[in-house]
Amino acid sequence: TSTTTSQSHPGLAVVPPGGAELSETAGGPVAFTAHEGLVFPILEVDDPWYKIVDTCGRDAWVGQSSVTTVPQSIPGTPGPGFDLSSGVIVVDAGHGGRDLGARGATGVWESHINLEIAQRLRERLNHAHSIDWETGTVRSGGDYPAVRQVLMTRAPEGPLNGDIELALAYRVGMANRVGADAMISLHNNSAPGVAQSTPGTDVFYSVAASGSDRLASLIHEELVRGLGEMGSDFGAGQISGARTLVEPDGTDFYGVLRRGEQPTVIVEGLYISEPAEERILASGVGQQVYADGVYRGLIRFLTTNDNGTAIHPPEVFDADVGSATYESCVVPRQP
């Protein structure tokens, strides 16, 4: 089945050139002018206003005439017959802005690498390709058409070249409100001071959103296969397959996974704290291999009934690691 567009509800508000004025209440005083190019999930329509979630996860209001909109879609059903040309995918480059993520031995920041990989994945999804499933090679061709829409939670053509801080509620809100067929959050792991005997690749699935476990298993399988061709055994000495962490009550530990309404996964491709893996992540070749592995796994999820190598049961993670705070977060302003 294919993804169709619902005209009954606008999913996202897009700030046009010149910016858009945001207020704390509908028709209230202007709080600030949001930067052109920003995209906000629409929570409520109250003519002539939209209630939105800003990039810091706070509710705000914007005049309908001040923005353009992206309509909400109705997700399709993954499997044989899925129409890729109607697909809507949200690609989330983890971290950003003040939230730099992990740092590699030579000073490479995870947030910057995540954005590079996200761009490469978007490029794959935005064009038709063929895939040699024996070798994993992705090349131009017509076997798998471009999807209808790829949305990046932060993009290089956006404010500050995409290097902005984003709240979890904003990231997932974008996918939920637009009616995405899948959301993929791209990250890289870190264990500073703890030598990893073998490279590590984890893909975590949402227990709350149906289909997430199968998506995670296929991405893990394709990612491990691709990275293994770079000279390391990425499947050895680690949990092989999709996994996830849950609270003692069984709910998802990770906020992105807990909030997702569509198949949602977090990809932790490599350990940026390991020098050998950092070198892969810092190279264009390594970034492309990462992106291609995720692309192949997503294509298999959307167009087949395949399962990956393994889907492991949830692991209870009973630890207090604190919660993200966005008190000092600032929505990019129009100059």
Side-chain angles (χ1 to χ4, degrees):
T1 58
S2 62
T3 304
T4 57
T5 298
S6 168
Q7 299 297 336
S8 62
H9 193 286
L12 304 174
V14 182
V15 180
E21 296 177 341
L22 299 192
S23 305
E24 294 183 1
T25 59
V30 175
F32 60 89
T33 301
H35 200 292
E36 62 186 56
L38 287 175
V39 179
F40 299 122
I42 297 174
L43 299 179
E44 183 181 324
V45 179
D46 185 5
D47 290 335
W49 306 96
Y50 291 134
K51 183 179 182 180
I52 57 97
V53 176
D54 70 22
T55 53
C56 295
R58 306 179 187 113
D59 292 351
W61 292 83
V62 65
Q64 294 180 14
S65 62
S66 300
V67 295
T68 60
T69 60
V70 177
Q72 192 175 61
S73 296
I74 300 174
T77 302
F82 182 90
D83 182 6
L84 283 173
S85 64
S86 294
V88 177
I89 306 299
V90 170
V91 178
D92 174 41
H95 304 285
R98 298 179 310 153
D99 178 14
L100 290 162
R103 188 182 187 187
T106 66
V108 173
W109 286 105
E110 181 196 353
S111 63
H112 302 156
I113 296 299
N114 296 344
L115 185 58
E116 291 288 341
I117 296 167
Q119 291 180 73
R120 292 175 183 272
L121 178 57
R122 178 177 63 174
E123 182 70 13
R124 287 302 197 206
L125 290 165
N126 272 335
H127 295 88
H129 291 91
S130 294
I131 301 172
D132 184 332
W133 292 106
E134 291 294 325
T135 65
T137 302
V138 179
R139 60 178 181 272
S140 297
D143 292 340
Y144 300 100
V147 300
R148 179 166 62 86
Q149 191 167 44
V150 186
L151 293 162
M152 290 177 64
T153 56
R154 56 187 186 98
E157 63 273 15
L160 303 176
N161 303 120
D163 192 16
I164 59 176
E165 183 176 8
L166 300 177
L168 297 181
Y170 170 84
R171 296 174 191 268
V172 186
M174 181 181 287
N176 291 347
R177 300 314 299 171
V178 80
D181 292 288
M183 176 179 179
I184 299 172
S185 186
L186 299 173
H187 289 257
N188 286 284
N189 222 329
S190 177
V194 181
Q196 303 294 309
S197 60
T198 55
T201 299
D202 283 318
V203 185
F204 295 93
Y205 62 87
S206 166
V207 297
S210 177
S212 301
D213 51 357
R214 189 171 75 88
L215 174 60
S217 72
L218 292 167
I219 289 177
H220 185 275
E221 183 171 286
E222 292 296 334
L223 190 53
V224 166
R225 174 167 76 146
L227 292 171
E229 294 175 358
M230 299 199 71
S232 298
D233 186 356
F234 281 78
Q238 63 171 357
I239 295 176
S240 181
R243 57 188 298 220
T244 200
L245 305 178
V246 295
E247 304 278 5
D249 64 0
T251 58
D252 283 291
F253 172 76
Y254 293 114
V256 164
L257 302 182
R258 186 168 58 248
R259 293 176 172 89
E261 296 176 0
Q262 57 286 306
T264 304
V265 300
I266 295 174
V267 185
E268 297 276 5
L270 292 169
Y271 275 83
I272 198 169
S273 54
E274 288 294 303
E277 296 178 51
E278 181 196 34
R279 285 194 294 272
I280 292 173
L281 290 170
S283 72
V285 172
Q287 292 164 11
Q288 192 64 58
V289 168
Y290 188 138
D292 283 354
V294 175
Y295 173 75
R296 290 194 305 270
L298 177 61
I299 292 297
R300 288 178 65 190
F301 170 74
L302 291 174
T303 64
T304 76
N305 290 323
D306 292 354
N307 284 307
T309 304
I311 298 173
H312 297 283
E315 309 160 41
V316 176
F317 189 71
D318 188 8
D320 183 8
V321 297
S323 58
T325 176
Y326 303 102
E327 292 179 2
S328 300
C329 179
V330 176
V331 177
R333 267 64 164 169
Q334 183 70 10

